Amino acid sequence: RMCLVIDPSLVDAHCNLGNLHKAQGRLDAARKCYLEAIRLKPEFAIAWSNLAGIFKEEGQLATAVAYYREAARLCPVFADVYSNLGSAMQEQGDLAEAKQCYATAISLRPDLAVAHGNLGACLLQSGE
């Protein structure tokens, strides 16, 4: 918070404070921080992805997917966002899209263990 008192335009500080709020279960406060980061720097993909995570946690999957897609558009090499998008798509029942997202995440970052695990679970769910 002190960083933001000194310089309220620090996008990373808004995002980090949002992460702290989210970890403490204060989703509304986290959402406000991420939205402020996006207002200050609309191309900041991490804030879009983090905000998508809140929507996903709240069960607002369509909104989460839209925000994950925007994060991926803004930063097409952001492997974690593809993994998270895949998870949201899998929860919506779109297993084909989920598999593609996991594969993209793995191609961008082969050591992303969560994407490998999610892809395996998705393949199992689809009977492959």
Side-chain angles (χ1 to χ4, degrees):
R1 290 180 199 253
M2 192 51 121
C3 289
L4 293 173
V5 170
I6 295 168
D7 186 353
S9 69
L10 291 173
V11 175
D12 287 327
H14 285 285
C15 210
N16 289 339
L17 184 57
N19 292 342
L20 177 64
H21 286 310
K22 186 177 179 190
Q24 295 173 340
R26 296 192 315 253
L27 299 184
D28 286 336
R31 183 187 342 267
K32 288 177 186 173
C33 291
Y34 299 142
L35 285 169
E36 181 62 11
I38 291 167
R39 185 188 72 74
L40 291 168
K41 188 174 179 184
E43 69 277 11
F44 191 47
I46 292 170
W48 286 91
S49 181
N50 289 349
L51 190 52
I54 289 177
F55 289 121
K56 184 175 179 287
E57 192 171 320
E58 293 175 334
Q60 298 179 52
L61 295 176
T63 303
V65 164
Y67 277 75
Y68 283 134
R69 287 191 192 282
E70 180 62 11
R73 185 190 71 76
L74 292 168
C75 186
V77 296
F78 187 5
D80 292 54
V81 80
Y82 288 101
S83 182
N84 293 333
L85 175 58
S87 178
M89 298 306 294
Q90 188 173 352
E91 282 188 43
Q92 285 187 319
D94 189 343
L95 302 184
E97 179 74 17
K99 287 185 282 187
Q100 286 181 323
C101 290
Y102 296 139
T104 300
I106 292 166
S107 73
L108 291 169
R109 199 168 128 208
D111 65 337
L112 188 58
V114 70
H116 287 278
N118 288 342
L119 177 57
C122 188
L123 291 169
L124 184 64
Q125 186 178 350
S126 68
E128 294 181 47

